[in-house]
Amino acid sequence: MVHPPRLLALFCLMSLLVYVDRGVISSAAVSGSPRGGDAGDPGSGLQGEFGVGYALFGLLQAAFMLGLLIGAPAFSAAAKTWNPFKLIGLGLAGWTLAVAGCATATTYAAFFFCRVFVGLGEASFCALAAPFIDDFAPPGRKTLWLAAFYLCIPLGVAGGVMFGGAVAGAPEGQSLGWRWAFGLEAVAMTPVALFCLASEPIPMRGVDDRARVRIGPARSGARDEEAGASPETAGLLEGDGGDGSGATAGAEDGASSSTSFAGASASARGSAPPKRKLASSSSGEDFASLRRNRAFLTALAGYVAYTGTIGVYAAWGPKAGYGVYSEELGSPSRSDVVLGGITVLAGVAGTLMGGVAADAAGADARAAVAVCAVCAAVAFAFLELAFRAAAFATFACLFAIGQTFAFGVQAPVNAVVLRSVRARERPLACSLVTVVIHLLGDVPTPPLFGLALEASAAGRAAPTPGNWRAVLGGFTALMA
C-alpha cells in the first residue's frame, strides 16, 4: 500500500541528501584555496591537495553536470520499460558508490571521474521524482507539494555548505578533513538506496498500466494520455499544430486523491513485473510533441537563464562571500555557516511563497509563469545590489531578500513543466529540462566565472573584493 505523505517524505529525504553533496563541494572549507606562489603555502582543501586553481575547480561542476546530462534522458527512456521507482533506487545506489569514490580519490583526474558518476546517479532522481509527486499529491495542493519537495534544494545545499564547513573547517588537529564530508554523505544515502531497491514497484501514470489500477482514471472521463489542457493553458499552447501535443494530462484532472492510493489492491502490489505493459508512444514522438509545446518551451527558456545565475551562486557563493567580507566573517568555515544559514531561511520562505502564490493564482500554467517572472525580476534587482554593499549587514539583508525571491521560482516553473505536457511525456519533459538548463545554464557558468575571476585578478594570487563584486555582478545579470 502506498501512503502519499510518506512517499513525499521519502523523496524529500532523497533530495536533501543529493543536494547536501552540492553544498559540500561548494563549501569554502572543503573546496579550500589553491597553492600559493611561495613554496611554503600548500593551500588547503580540494584545491590545495590536488594543486588546482579556480578554473579547474569550476570544471568539477561541469564534470558533475556531464553525468547528469547523459543520465537524465537515459533514465527517462528506460522508464518506458522498467519501473521508475526501481530506476531511482538503482541511480541512487550508483550515486552512493561515486560519492564514496570522491572521498577516496587520490588525484584530480580520479575525483573528476567520480563527479561524472555522481551526476549520472542523480539523473534518475531528477528525471523521475517530480512526476511521482504530481501523481500522488491531493487536488488543490499540487504546487504546494512540489514546493515542499523543491524546498529541499536550498535546505540541502545550505546544509551541505554548513556541514562541509563543520567537518573540514575545524581548527587544525580537530578537523576530520574534506574527505570525511563525502564519506559521511555516502553512509547516509546507503540505507535510502537499499530501501528503494528492496521495495515493491510503484507505478507512474502515463507510462505504466498498473497506474490505472492504483491511481485510477482521470476524473474528467478523458483517457489519461489524451486529457486536454485547461482554457488558460490552451492560450499558451496555441499553435502547437492542432494535434493536442501540448495538452496536459491535467495536474488537477489526471491524478487521483491520496485516498485512491490507500485503496490499492494487493495483487497490483505483489505481482507487478518490472516490464511495462502499456503501449506508449516512442521517445521520438514525445520529443516532437514537446518541441511544439509553447508553454513547455516558455518555462524552459526562462529556466535556462535562471539556472545560469543560480549555478554561479551555488558553486561560488561561499567563496565569494568570504572573498568580499573576509574581515567581517573571519574564516572560510564561518562564511559557510553564515551564508548557509541565510540560504536556509531564504530557501524556506521563498520556495513556500512561490508554491502558495502559484496555487492562489489559479494553479494553471499561465499563472505559474507570471509568478516565475515576478520572482526572477525582484531577485535580480536585490542580488545585484547585495554584493555592491559596503557593510556586511547591508549585504546580508539584500542577499536574503534576493535569495528569497530567487527560490520563489522553483515550484512554479516545475509546475508549468508538469502541467503543460501529457502524462506519458512527463519523464521525458523533466529529463529535457534537466539537460537543457544545465547544458546552457549552470554547466558553462561556474568554469566561466572562474576564468573571468582569474582574468580580473590579473595574475594576483588571490582576487580582490573588487574583482569578486565585478564578476558576480556580471553573471547576476543573467537573471534579468
Side-chain angles (χ1 to χ4, degrees), residues 417-449:
V417 171
L418 292 170
R419 292 169 188 168
S420 61
V421 303
R422 290 178 290 189
R424 73 187 188 206
E425 297 168 351
R426 292 177 303 162
L428 179 60
C430 290
S431 69
L432 284 176
V433 166
T434 300
V435 168
V436 175
I437 66 172
H438 293 312
L439 185 63
L440 302 180
D442 58 1
V443 165
T445 53
L448 286 174
F449 183 94

Short mmCIF file of all heavy atoms in Angstrom, two decimals, residues 417-449:
data_model
loop_
_atom_site.label_atom_id
_atom_site.label_comp_id
_atom_site.label_asym_id
_atom_site.label_seq_id
_atom_site.Cartn_x
_atom_site.Cartn_y
_atom_site.Cartn_z
N VAL A 417 6.07 22.88 -16.19
CA VAL A 417 6.57 21.74 -16.96
C VAL A 417 5.61 20.56 -16.85
O VAL A 417 5.23 19.93 -17.85
CB VAL A 417 7.98 21.34 -16.47
CG1 VAL A 417 8.42 20.01 -17.09
CG2 VAL A 417 8.99 22.44 -16.79
N LEU A 418 5.18 20.23 -15.65
CA LEU A 418 4.34 19.06 -15.43
C LEU A 418 2.92 19.26 -15.96
O LEU A 418 2.28 18.31 -16.41
CB LEU A 418 4.28 18.72 -13.94
CG LEU A 418 5.60 18.20 -13.34
CD1 LEU A 418 5.48 18.14 -11.82
CD2 LEU A 418 5.97 16.84 -13.90
N ARG A 419 2.42 20.49 -15.92
CA ARG A 419 1.02 20.73 -16.30
C ARG A 419 0.84 21.05 -17.76
O ARG A 419 -0.29 21.12 -18.25
CB ARG A 419 0.46 21.88 -15.45
CG ARG A 419 0.34 21.49 -13.99
CD ARG A 419 0.05 22.67 -13.10
NE ARG A 419 0.13 22.26 -11.70
CZ ARG A 419 0.14 23.10 -10.69
NH1 ARG A 419 0.09 24.40 -10.92
NH2 ARG A 419 0.21 22.66 -9.45
N SER A 420 1.91 21.29 -18.47
CA SER A 420 1.77 21.66 -19.88
C SER A 420 2.09 20.50 -20.82
O SER A 420 2.13 20.69 -22.03
CB SER A 420 2.69 22.85 -20.19
OG SER A 420 4.03 22.51 -19.96
N VAL A 421 2.32 19.31 -20.27
CA VAL A 421 2.60 18.14 -21.11
C VAL A 421 1.67 17.01 -20.73
O VAL A 421 1.05 17.02 -19.66
CB VAL A 421 4.08 17.68 -20.95
CG1 VAL A 421 5.03 18.82 -21.28
CG2 VAL A 421 4.35 17.16 -19.55
N ARG A 422 1.55 16.02 -21.62
CA ARG A 422 0.73 14.86 -21.32
C ARG A 422 1.43 13.97 -20.30
O ARG A 422 2.65 14.03 -20.13
CB ARG A 422 0.43 14.09 -22.60
CG ARG A 422 -0.53 14.85 -23.52
CD ARG A 422 -0.79 14.11 -24.80
NE ARG A 422 0.39 14.10 -25.67
CZ ARG A 422 0.36 13.67 -26.92
NH1 ARG A 422 -0.75 13.21 -27.44
NH2 ARG A 422 1.46 13.69 -27.66
N ALA A 423 0.64 13.13 -19.64
CA ALA A 423 1.18 12.31 -18.55
C ALA A 423 2.35 11.46 -19.01
O ALA A 423 3.37 11.35 -18.33
CB ALA A 423 0.08 11.42 -17.96
N ARG A 424 2.23 10.87 -20.18
CA ARG A 424 3.28 9.96 -20.66
C ARG A 424 4.56 10.73 -21.00
O ARG A 424 5.64 10.15 -21.11
CB ARG A 424 2.80 9.21 -21.89
CG ARG A 424 2.72 10.07 -23.14
CD ARG A 424 2.08 9.35 -24.30
NE ARG A 424 2.17 10.11 -25.53
CZ ARG A 424 1.32 9.99 -26.54
NH1 ARG A 424 0.30 9.15 -26.42
NH2 ARG A 424 1.47 10.69 -27.63
N GLU A 425 4.45 12.06 -21.21
CA GLU A 425 5.61 12.86 -21.60
C GLU A 425 6.38 13.42 -20.42
O GLU A 425 7.45 14.01 -20.59
CB GLU A 425 5.16 14.02 -22.50
CG GLU A 425 4.55 13.59 -23.81
CD GLU A 425 3.86 14.73 -24.54
OE1 GLU A 425 3.72 15.83 -23.96
OE2 GLU A 425 3.46 14.51 -25.70
N ARG A 426 5.85 13.26 -19.20
CA ARG A 426 6.45 13.92 -18.05
C ARG A 426 7.89 13.47 -17.77
O ARG A 426 8.75 14.34 -17.53
CB ARG A 426 5.57 13.73 -16.81
CG ARG A 426 4.25 14.47 -16.89
CD ARG A 426 3.39 14.19 -15.69
NE ARG A 426 3.16 12.75 -15.55
CZ ARG A 426 2.74 12.17 -14.42
NH1 ARG A 426 2.51 12.90 -13.36
NH2 ARG A 426 2.56 10.87 -14.38
N PRO A 427 8.22 12.16 -17.78
CA PRO A 427 9.63 11.81 -17.55
C PRO A 427 10.57 12.42 -18.59
O PRO A 427 11.64 12.93 -18.26
CB PRO A 427 9.62 10.28 -17.63
CG PRO A 427 8.23 9.89 -17.24
CD PRO A 427 7.36 10.96 -17.83
N LEU A 428 10.16 12.40 -19.87
CA LEU A 428 10.99 12.99 -20.91
C LEU A 428 11.08 14.50 -20.73
O LEU A 428 12.16 15.09 -20.88
CB LEU A 428 10.44 12.67 -22.30
CG LEU A 428 11.23 13.25 -23.47
CD1 LEU A 428 12.65 12.73 -23.49
CD2 LEU A 428 10.53 12.95 -24.80
N ALA A 429 9.95 15.15 -20.39
CA ALA A 429 9.96 16.60 -20.19
C ALA A 429 10.90 16.97 -19.05
O ALA A 429 11.71 17.90 -19.17
CB ALA A 429 8.55 17.10 -19.91
N CYS A 430 10.83 16.24 -17.94
CA CYS A 430 11.70 16.53 -16.80
C CYS A 430 13.16 16.29 -17.14
O CYS A 430 14.04 17.07 -16.74
CB CYS A 430 11.29 15.68 -15.60
SG CYS A 430 9.72 16.14 -14.85
N SER A 431 13.43 15.25 -17.91
CA SER A 431 14.82 14.98 -18.28
C SER A 431 15.35 16.03 -19.26
O SER A 431 16.50 16.47 -19.16
CB SER A 431 14.96 13.58 -18.87
OG SER A 431 14.32 13.48 -20.13
N LEU A 432 14.50 16.47 -20.20
CA LEU A 432 14.92 17.51 -21.13
C LEU A 432 15.18 18.82 -20.41
O LEU A 432 16.14 19.54 -20.73
CB LEU A 432 13.87 17.71 -22.22
CG LEU A 432 13.82 16.65 -23.32
CD1 LEU A 432 12.68 16.93 -24.28
CD2 LEU A 432 15.14 16.59 -24.09
N VAL A 433 14.33 19.14 -19.44
CA VAL A 433 14.56 20.34 -18.64
C VAL A 433 15.91 20.23 -17.94
O VAL A 433 16.72 21.17 -17.94
CB VAL A 433 13.42 20.53 -17.62
CG1 VAL A 433 13.81 21.56 -16.56
CG2 VAL A 433 12.15 20.98 -18.32
N THR A 434 16.16 19.08 -17.34
CA THR A 434 17.43 18.87 -16.64
C THR A 434 18.61 19.05 -17.59
O THR A 434 19.59 19.72 -17.26
CB THR A 434 17.47 17.45 -16.03
OG1 THR A 434 16.40 17.32 -15.09
CG2 THR A 434 18.79 17.21 -15.32
N VAL A 435 18.52 18.46 -18.78
CA VAL A 435 19.61 18.55 -19.74
C VAL A 435 19.83 19.99 -20.19
O VAL A 435 20.95 20.51 -20.15
CB VAL A 435 19.33 17.65 -20.96
CG1 VAL A 435 20.30 17.95 -22.09
CG2 VAL A 435 19.42 16.18 -20.57
N VAL A 436 18.76 20.65 -20.62
CA VAL A 436 18.91 21.96 -21.26
C VAL A 436 19.31 23.04 -20.26
O VAL A 436 20.20 23.86 -20.53
CB VAL A 436 17.62 22.35 -22.00
CG1 VAL A 436 17.72 23.76 -22.56
CG2 VAL A 436 17.34 21.36 -23.13
N ILE A 437 18.67 23.06 -19.07
CA ILE A 437 19.01 24.13 -18.13
C ILE A 437 20.44 23.99 -17.64
O ILE A 437 21.10 25.00 -17.35
CB ILE A 437 18.03 24.17 -16.93
CG1 ILE A 437 18.15 22.92 -16.05
CG2 ILE A 437 16.60 24.41 -17.40
CD1 ILE A 437 17.34 23.02 -14.76
N HIS A 438 20.93 22.76 -17.55
CA HIS A 438 22.31 22.59 -17.11
C HIS A 438 23.29 22.81 -18.26
O HIS A 438 24.32 23.46 -18.10
CB HIS A 438 22.50 21.21 -16.49
CG HIS A 438 21.75 21.04 -15.20
ND1 HIS A 438 21.78 21.98 -14.19
CD2 HIS A 438 20.94 20.04 -14.75
CE1 HIS A 438 21.04 21.58 -13.18
NE2 HIS A 438 20.50 20.41 -13.50
N LEU A 439 22.97 22.26 -19.44
CA LEU A 439 23.87 22.40 -20.58
C LEU A 439 24.07 23.86 -20.95
O LEU A 439 25.20 24.28 -21.26
CB LEU A 439 23.29 21.63 -21.78
CG LEU A 439 24.17 21.56 -23.02
CD1 LEU A 439 25.47 20.82 -22.73
CD2 LEU A 439 23.42 20.89 -24.17
N LEU A 440 23.00 24.64 -20.92
CA LEU A 440 23.08 26.06 -21.29
C LEU A 440 23.16 26.98 -20.09
O LEU A 440 23.42 28.18 -20.24
CB LEU A 440 21.87 26.45 -22.15
CG LEU A 440 21.68 25.65 -23.44
CD1 LEU A 440 20.44 26.15 -24.20
CD2 LEU A 440 22.90 25.72 -24.33
N GLY A 441 22.91 26.43 -18.88
CA GLY A 441 22.89 27.26 -17.69
C GLY A 441 24.07 27.05 -16.77
O GLY A 441 25.11 27.70 -16.92
N ASP A 442 23.95 26.10 -15.82
CA ASP A 442 25.00 26.02 -14.79
C ASP A 442 26.12 25.05 -15.09
O ASP A 442 26.97 24.81 -14.23
CB ASP A 442 24.39 25.70 -13.42
CG ASP A 442 23.60 24.41 -13.40
OD1 ASP A 442 23.53 23.72 -14.43
OD2 ASP A 442 23.04 24.08 -12.34
N VAL A 443 26.18 24.47 -16.31
CA VAL A 443 27.43 23.80 -16.72
C VAL A 443 28.46 24.83 -17.16
O VAL A 443 29.60 24.81 -16.68
CB VAL A 443 27.16 22.76 -17.82
CG1 VAL A 443 28.46 22.35 -18.49
CG2 VAL A 443 26.50 21.52 -17.22
N PRO A 444 28.14 25.75 -18.07
CA PRO A 444 29.17 26.69 -18.51
C PRO A 444 29.48 27.80 -17.51
O PRO A 444 30.62 28.28 -17.47
CB PRO A 444 28.59 27.27 -19.80
CG PRO A 444 27.12 27.11 -19.68
CD PRO A 444 26.90 25.86 -18.89
N THR A 445 28.50 28.23 -16.70
CA THR A 445 28.75 29.45 -15.92
C THR A 445 29.78 29.30 -14.79
O THR A 445 30.58 30.22 -14.60
CB THR A 445 27.43 30.03 -15.37
OG1 THR A 445 26.71 29.01 -14.65
CG2 THR A 445 26.57 30.58 -16.49
N PRO A 446 29.82 28.19 -14.00
CA PRO A 446 30.85 28.13 -12.95
C PRO A 446 32.29 28.17 -13.49
O PRO A 446 33.10 28.96 -12.98
CB PRO A 446 30.53 26.83 -12.21
CG PRO A 446 29.07 26.64 -12.41
CD PRO A 446 28.84 27.10 -13.82
N PRO A 447 32.67 27.35 -14.51
CA PRO A 447 34.04 27.49 -15.00
C PRO A 447 34.29 28.83 -15.69
O PRO A 447 35.39 29.38 -15.59
CB PRO A 447 34.18 26.32 -15.99
CG PRO A 447 32.81 25.88 -16.31
CD PRO A 447 31.98 26.19 -15.12
N LEU A 448 33.27 29.38 -16.39
CA LEU A 448 33.44 30.69 -16.99
C LEU A 448 33.65 31.75 -15.92
O LEU A 448 34.43 32.69 -16.09
CB LEU A 448 32.22 31.04 -17.86
CG LEU A 448 32.11 30.31 -19.20
CD1 LEU A 448 30.79 30.66 -19.88
CD2 LEU A 448 33.29 30.66 -20.10
N PHE A 449 32.94 31.59 -14.80
CA PHE A 449 33.12 32.52 -13.68
C PHE A 449 34.56 32.43 -13.17
O PHE A 449 35.20 33.45 -12.89
CB PHE A 449 32.14 32.19 -12.57
CG PHE A 449 32.21 33.13 -11.39
CD1 PHE A 449 31.38 34.23 -11.32
CD2 PHE A 449 33.12 32.92 -10.36
CE1 PHE A 449 31.45 35.11 -10.24
CE2 PHE A 449 33.20 33.78 -9.29
CZ PHE A 449 32.36 34.88 -9.22
#
